Amino acid sequence: MKEDSTFLLSESTGWIVDWAHPAFEICRDKHRGSTYGKITYTVTKDPGHDWKAEVGDGK
């Protein structure tokens, strides 16, 4: 399996991805008659990130 390097995005944008606790779900598409898997991760703002530098004053 190829290693996912998207964690670098969280470092550059100030978002924290909880890679240790993914949620797995089996989904069913009734229209196509297929089943697929979905993995969801929790993403939160990094409280230590300088958000004012990203957004600017008054935004």
Side-chain angles (χ1 to χ4, degrees):
M1 177 161 50
K2 183 180 175 186
E3 185 176 336
D4 187 354
S5 61
T6 56
F7 67 91
L8 295 174
L9 179 65
S10 64
E11 293 175 7
S12 64
T13 61
W15 291 97
I16 298 172
V17 181
D18 183 5
W19 295 108
H21 301 96
F24 301 97
E25 184 179 352
I26 302 296
C27 303
R28 175 104 173 118
D29 186 338
K30 293 179 183 178
H31 299 289
R32 296 183 182 177
S34 62
T35 303
Y36 59 95
K38 181 168 84 170
I39 302 173
T40 307
Y41 295 92
T42 302
V43 180
T44 55
K45 284 184 180 180
D46 180 356
H49 189 79
D50 182 13
W51 289 99
K52 287 184 179 181
E54 301 263 340
V55 179
D57 292 336
K59 296 185 180 180

